Amino acid sequence: MKIKFLLAALLCSVIGFSQSVNDYKAVIVPLKYDFLKTDNQYRLATLSKSNLLKAGFQAYYTNEQLPESLIDRCELLYIDVKKDNGFLVTKLFVELKDCFGKVIYTSEIGKSKEKDYDVAYRESLEGAFKSIYDLHYAYSGKTPARETRAVVTSAAAAAVAMPVKAAVTQTAVSTPVADVSDPNLLYAQPTENGYQLIDKTPKVVMKLLKTSRPDSFIAIKDGVQGTLNAKDNQWFFEYYQNDKMVSEKVSVKF
């Protein structure tokens, strides 16, 4: 029990360790936010990117080809625009998240009383971006995602190494190590129920749904449903085709 409390305290202390928007190279902009019905509705994707550029960030749509210098997805931020409920008032705010879906920065709420949605969303988004402009973004050259993972790993190892009177033995599941030199490497982006795997274009190649096991996911690729399983330090997409099981090796970086 003491290990759990100590580990939780250590993890909480490092979650925000040295994480700043200045430690990320660029921002990825989705074409559609959750409260919208179609891509770039009310030009919110276009407005998001243009405001990011004005704020000093590099910004790319999710369907844009990224330069080689931005191949590591954990060196990027991912913008999300949220709509807040308001009576006769449109309210929007911006979240900037890391590759694990953790919110690094939340803007102030932008508001508009305009009835025309095109005008209201534009005014609200520009209002939200005022606090982002005030950040005076400038890339620091750091890679906080890697640093944080290293600190978390060290903290966990230190906590486990501490002597205790009694300990419960649990079976550890080793996650396959990604080969970053693999040209077909896919990058895992967190979703509400699991992950989506994207290639370097970036394009969504596969969707994963969590199961009770950390080494197995329900997987969907090109309309085919199967499972993604960890075996022999590798990931395999397995599914049935013509009553025969097919197993495809997949290189994934979580």
Side-chain angles (χ1 to χ4, degrees):
M1 184 62 70
K2 290 182 179 179
I3 283 183
K4 290 183 178 180
F5 283 126
L6 179 57
L7 183 57
L10 287 168
L11 291 178
C12 288
S13 68
V14 300
I15 286 299
F17 176 78
S18 188
Q19 289 199 321
S20 160
V21 295
N22 293 329
D23 299 336
Y24 296 85
K25 291 182 176 180
V27 185
I28 302 299
V29 182
L31 297 180
K32 186 176 82 68
Y33 298 113
D34 287 344
F35 62 92
L36 300 177
K37 295 181 180 179
T38 59
D39 287 354
N40 204 21
Q41 190 174 15
Y42 307 115
R43 300 183 66 251
L44 281 190
T46 301
L47 292 171
S48 296
K49 183 177 180 180
S50 63
N51 275 289
L52 285 167
L53 294 173
K54 289 178 184 177
F57 293 88
Q58 292 188 68
Y60 300 88
Y61 296 122
T62 53
N63 61 350
E64 280 189 86
Q65 176 74 44
L66 299 181
E68 290 296 325
S69 60
L70 301 180
I71 193 65
D72 189 339
R73 315 302 293 191
C74 284
E75 293 182 349
L76 310 178
L77 285 171
Y78 301 83
I79 187 174
D80 192 10
V81 175
K82 303 281 191 179
K83 184 176 181 180
D84 199 11
N85 292 328
F87 181 67
L88 299 179
V89 178
T90 299
K91 298 181 181 180
L92 298 179
F93 63 93
V94 174
E95 289 183 343
L96 297 175
K97 303 178 182 180
D98 67 10
C99 62
F100 299 105
K102 176 181 175 293
V103 177
I104 302 300
Y105 177 79
T106 302
S107 76
E108 299 294 331
I109 296 177
K111 303 177 183 179
S112 175
K113 294 184 179 180
E114 291 289 336
K115 294 182 180 180
D116 183 275
Y117 280 131
D118 286 306
V119 178
Y121 281 129
R122 186 186 72 249
E123 287 186 353
S124 299
L125 189 63
E126 289 177 350
F129 261 93
K130 287 181 180 178
S131 57
I132 296 179
Y133 295 147
D134 291 339
L135 295 175
H136 303 293
Y137 167 81
Y139 179 53
S140 67
K142 296 180 181 179
T143 53
R146 286 182 187 144
E147 292 170 4
T148 302
R149 284 201 294 271
V151 173
V152 171
T153 302
S154 299
V160 172
M162 294 185 66
V164 292
K165 294 181 178 179
V168 178
T169 303
Q170 294 184 344
T171 302
V173 178
S174 59
T175 302
V177 179
D179 179 5
V180 294
S181 64
D182 188 340
N184 298 315
L185 180 65
L186 301 179
Y187 298 86
Q189 288 184 335
T191 60
E192 185 176 352
N193 299 313
Y195 298 89
Q196 62 179 15
L197 305 185
I198 62 173
D199 60 21
K200 63 181 181 180
T201 48
K203 169 189 173 185
V204 177
V205 176
M206 185 182 299
K207 293 186 178 181
L208 305 180
L209 300 176
K210 293 180 180 178
T211 67
S212 59
R213 294 178 56 89
D215 60 344
S216 182
F217 298 89
I218 296 172
I220 303 171
K221 178 184 178 183
D222 297 330
V224 176
Q225 182 169 317
T227 58
L228 185 72
N229 303 306
K231 297 179 182 179
D232 302 323
N233 199 35
Q234 295 179 350
W235 289 102
F236 291 91
F237 175 46
E238 298 179 332
Y239 58 95
Y240 278 91
Q241 187 177 61
N242 298 326
D243 296 328
K244 293 183 179 181
M245 191 178 78
V246 179
S247 183
E248 299 177 358
K249 178 182 172 182
V250 181
S251 184
V252 183
K253 182 177 181 181
F254 283 92

